[in-house]
Structures are given as structure tokens and as C-alpha cells.
Amino acid sequence: MMAVLVALPFCLLAVASAQQAGSQKQEEHVPLSFATCTKAGGCKGTQTTLTMDAQWRWLHDSRPNQFQNCLQGVTAWDKKIAPDGQKAAANCALEGMTASDY
């Protein structure tokens, strides 16, 4: 049990370091208002934000002076940029989305 507790932070660190954020667009979360209504309490408004799924963002080559798409079509990786998972994590960045992109 102790070995699992010691190893867990290192596993989480590896996962966290694999994703690269792009630097071409600033991420903006779109404000969203909604209400939850019940017969007894009426409606109560809530303010939150939303973000777009990664499938609809630009995933591109993040190496210097390289801006090609890391994906060919919808699901196929460009093997010149990302021949395997480690190279994809090292060479590809996922861009943010501005409010006007929504």
C-alpha cells in the first residue's frame, strides 16, 4: 500500500506534463447563464462558463517555425510530426479558443 502512495504522485506528474498548450490564441471561456427551477423554490439563476472540446481546436506542430496540423483529417496522426504518442506530446500543441471562435 505504501508503494502505491509513493508512486501515485509520479504517475500524475507524467500525465500532466504530456499535454502542451498552444501559444497562438489566448483561451477564453464563454460566460453562460442558466436557471434551475423547482416547484417549491422557484427559479435560481447561476452563472458559469463553458469551453470547447479538444476535437474542435487546432492541434498543430509546435516546433519552431512549424505550423502544420498534427492530424490528417479527423483522426489520423501525421506520421512525420507524431509517429508515436511520445513524439505527439513533444511536437504538438493544442490551441486555445477566443470568444469569437465560438
Side-chain angles (χ1 to χ4, degrees):
M1 180 66 176
M2 185 61 162
V4 172
L5 293 176
V6 170
L8 183 60
F10 293 105
C11 293
L12 295 175
L13 179 62
V15 171
S17 66
Q19 180 64 57
Q20 282 193 64
S23 60
Q24 303 300 311
K25 286 190 176 184
Q26 183 69 34
E27 174 69 16
E28 295 179 27
H29 294 178
V30 178
L32 177 68
S33 299
F34 66 95
T36 302
C37 303
T38 64
K39 283 184 180 181
C43 294
K44 295 182 180 167
T46 303
Q47 185 72 26
T48 190
T49 60
L50 63 92
T51 187
M52 186 64 70
D53 184 74
Q55 181 65 31
W56 303 104
R57 296 168 179 262
W58 184 31
L59 184 65
H60 64 88
D61 191 337
S62 64
R63 296 174 294 182
N65 301 314
Q66 301 292 318
F67 295 100
Q68 293 81 15
N69 289 327
C70 285
L71 292 175
Q72 295 177 336
V74 178
T75 59
W77 289 93
D78 185 329
K79 296 295 183 186
K80 291 176 267 173
I81 303 169
D84 57 46
Q86 287 182 333
K87 287 288 186 186
N91 295 340
C92 297
L94 188 66
E95 283 301 327
M97 289 184 74
T98 64
S100 64
D101 290 334
Y102 286 86

